[in-house]
Each structure stands twice: as structure tokens, then as C-alpha cells.
Amino acid sequence: MNLLTPGYRVYLMINSVLLVLFAIACLFPIIHVLAISFSSKTAVNSGLVTLWPVEFSLKSYEYVFHNPNFVTSFLVSVKRVGLGVGLNMVMTVLVAYPLSKEAHDFPSRTLYAWFFVFTMLFAGGLIPTFLIVKAAGLMDTVWALILPGAVPVFNVLLILNFMRSLPKALEESSFIDGAGHFRTLWSIYLPLSLPGLVTVALFSLVGHWNAWFDGMIYMNRTEHYPLSTYLQSLLQFDNVNQANLSLEDARLLDNISNRTARSAQIFVAALPIMLIYPFLQRFFVKGIVLGSVKG
């Protein structure tokens, strides 16, 4: 049976054109920022740069890697991602595994599940959350950025559905062989749930790396800002703070424009996610689809 009917061919052609246009719309800002970061101060200020560097220069990247504020914020973000993703994954698995059991194995499962869903639908609000973080003594620490979101409920629901789709016979065989719940979780559920776990790990990683607002309200000292908060403040105030610059950095800054410096910092900040994503993409589609298919 030939499925490539004339109508289906037209659909494929229109769909392909729309996807290419969408891809160009997504890539254009990134390529433009990259081109500005590699261009000279004169070319950028004259508006000559679009998609290709003009008067190629590496001075903006030399300035970025000499900028102590950028390096400090980058290290804060790395620390936040390491601690935050690890804590998110541990809490996600420990919550999702018991909630994936049948009602006769865990009678209160529905009550606990609705408790977590309620927190996702009705958050506590900005001011109560801020007061709790302040009363707990977490201000100006990396834990203020991690602990309020330690249990990502959306990720819990994904892993919960993923675990419920696994064959129950595997769990029964494990119990017959004498294993307990922790052994069954470690040896059976976690290896089989790898695509789902990698997917939610990617969600947590991107979320922590790109989050900027919590850094703005929980951090009183700029040297404690994560990278996204530092970049947001840099863009908002539209200038580079020269108070902490060394003579060498001031000399470098004279040879580049603010737009060039900001573009280089934005691209360097986005680079880790762009490098990691291709390695995790093969798990991404499988992890989402398997958790949503029933029967």
C-alpha cells in the first residue's frame, strides 16, 4: 500500500518548509550574538555585523576570561548545577518509586500523590517563600537556590508513570529472590528507567543553569550571583562595572564595545548546555514517550 499520496506529499513538503523556517528563527539570534562577539568594536558600533564576524577579533573572549565577576558567577552556577541536579534526582526517585505502587500495596498512595500535585498547582507565593528562606538562614548561600525546588513535582510525575509502565513480574521475581524495596529499586527500576532519568536530569540541569530570578532575590552580594543572574544584571544596567577591573582588563575593555563583551559572555554561558544536549537528546524523546504510553 502506497502511503505517499499526493495530499500526503504536499503535507510533508509544507511541514518541512515550516520546520526549516522555525529552525532558522531559532538559530538566527544565536548566530548573530556569536558574530558580534567575534567582531571588532568599530564594526559593531557601526551596525555592520549580521550573521558573519566583521574584522575578526578575540579580544572580547580574552576580556571575558579575565573578568573575575564572570568567572566567579560561572563557578557558582557550576556548584548550583552539581548540587541541585543531584538533589533533584535523589528526591525524584525516592518520591516516584513508592507512588508508582498499586493501591493495595500502598493504600495512602493517592493521598500523597494529590498532596504533591496540589503544591504544583498552588504554590506558596513569592513573599512567603522568601520569608521562609530568610528565617531558615539560607540567604546568600547556594542552598537558597536549591532547597526551595528540591522536589520537582513535574519530574516526579514523569518518573512515576515511567515506573508504572515497567513489567510487575520483574518486581515480583526480585521479591521472590529475597530482595527488598531498596535492592529492587537500585537493581531493577533504576537501570530500566535510565531514559526517563536522563530526561528529567536534563530538565533539572537546564532549569538550574538558566534560573536568574531566585539569585536576584536571595543573594545580597553580587559575587554570590549565579551566571544567569549576573548576565541579567549586566543586560539590565547596559554597562560594564569597571570598579573591579584591573589595568589589563581596562585596556582590553577599551578595545571592545559593551555589546561585544556582553555577546561573548552570553555565548560562553550558553555553550555548556549546547555541548551537553546532543549527548542526551537520544534519551530525551524515548524518556518522554515511554512515560506517557498506557496499556
Side-chain angles (χ1 to χ4, degrees):
M1 180 179 179
N2 184 15
L3 296 178
L4 295 180
T5 60
Y8 190 67
R9 290 176 187 273
V10 173
Y11 164 76
L12 286 179
M13 186 175 64
I14 295 175
N15 197 27
S16 300
V17 171
L18 290 177
L19 287 177
V20 169
L21 293 176
F22 183 72
I24 292 174
C26 293
L27 288 175
F28 182 82
I30 299 175
I31 298 175
H32 181 61
V33 167
L34 184 62
I36 289 177
S37 69
F38 282 114
S39 299
S40 69
K41 178 179 180 179
T42 305
V44 172
N45 289 339
S46 303
L48 301 177
V49 183
T50 53
L51 298 178
W52 194 256
V54 178
E55 299 175 5
F56 186 85
S57 172
L58 292 175
K59 287 186 171 58
S60 58
Y61 287 92
E62 188 179 353
Y63 164 75
V64 167
F65 292 110
H66 278 88
N67 184 355
N69 294 328
F70 180 87
V71 175
T72 302
S73 299
F74 189 91
L75 294 178
V76 171
S77 280
V78 171
K79 183 179 180 181
R80 172 181 184 167
V81 167
L83 294 173
V85 173
L87 182 62
N88 285 159
M89 296 307 297
V90 170
M91 298 303 294
T92 297
V93 170
L94 292 182
V95 174
Y97 175 72
L99 294 182
S100 68
K101 303 302 171 191
E102 300 295 337
H104 57 80
D105 293 326
F106 185 17
S108 303
R109 180 182 68 88
T110 304
L111 176 65
Y112 284 105
W114 274 110
F115 172 78
F116 284 105
V117 171
F118 183 85
T119 62
M120 186 173 67
L121 298 176
F122 304 98
L126 177 61
I127 294 177
T129 305
F130 176 82
L131 293 176
I132 291 174
V133 170
K134 184 178 181 181
L138 300 178
M139 297 293 290
D140 258 342
T141 69
V142 71
W143 297 108
L145 310 176
I146 296 172
L147 290 182
V151 182
V153 179
F154 179 75
N155 293 353
V156 169
L157 296 178
L158 285 179
I159 297 301
L160 185 156
N161 286 324
F162 198 101
M163 289 182 172
R164 295 191 72 177
S165 68
L166 298 177
K168 295 301 176 188
L170 294 174
E171 183 184 61
E172 293 170 359
S173 300
S174 177
F175 288 155
I176 290 174
D177 290 338
H181 280 291
F182 280 105
R183 182 66 177 175
T184 303
L185 172 64
W186 181 259
S187 301
I188 304 294
Y189 277 84
L190 291 186
L192 294 176
S193 303
L194 184 60
L197 293 174
V198 173
T199 301
V200 298
L202 181 62
F203 286 164
S204 296
L205 189 152
V206 174
H208 279 293
W209 187 263
N210 290 335
W212 64 270
F213 186 66
D214 50 0
M216 188 70 72
I217 62 175
Y218 295 138
M219 297 298 170
N220 295 321
R221 303 172 63 178
T222 55
E223 59 265 32
H224 292 164
Y225 279 0
L227 188 56
S228 296
T229 306
Y230 167 74
L231 292 177
Q232 195 278 338
S233 62
L234 201 65
L235 294 173
Q236 181 180 5
F237 294 109
D238 198 30
N239 61 48
V240 176
N241 183 9
Q242 302 189 29
N244 298 323
L245 294 181
S246 64
L247 290 177
E248 184 178 3
D249 292 335
R251 180 184 57 79
L252 287 171
L253 191 59
D254 286 338
N255 296 321
I256 59 177
S257 67
N258 281 345
R259 287 187 64 195
T260 308
R262 291 199 304 270
S263 297
Q265 293 179 87
I266 290 171
F267 185 75
V268 171
L271 193 59
I273 299 297
M274 289 192 288
L275 292 177
I276 290 174
Y277 188 79
F279 295 100
L280 302 181
Q281 193 273 341
R282 64 191 179 97
F283 295 102
F284 188 75
V285 175
K286 186 178 179 182
I288 291 293
V289 173
L290 288 184
S292 61
V293 175
K294 307 297 181 186

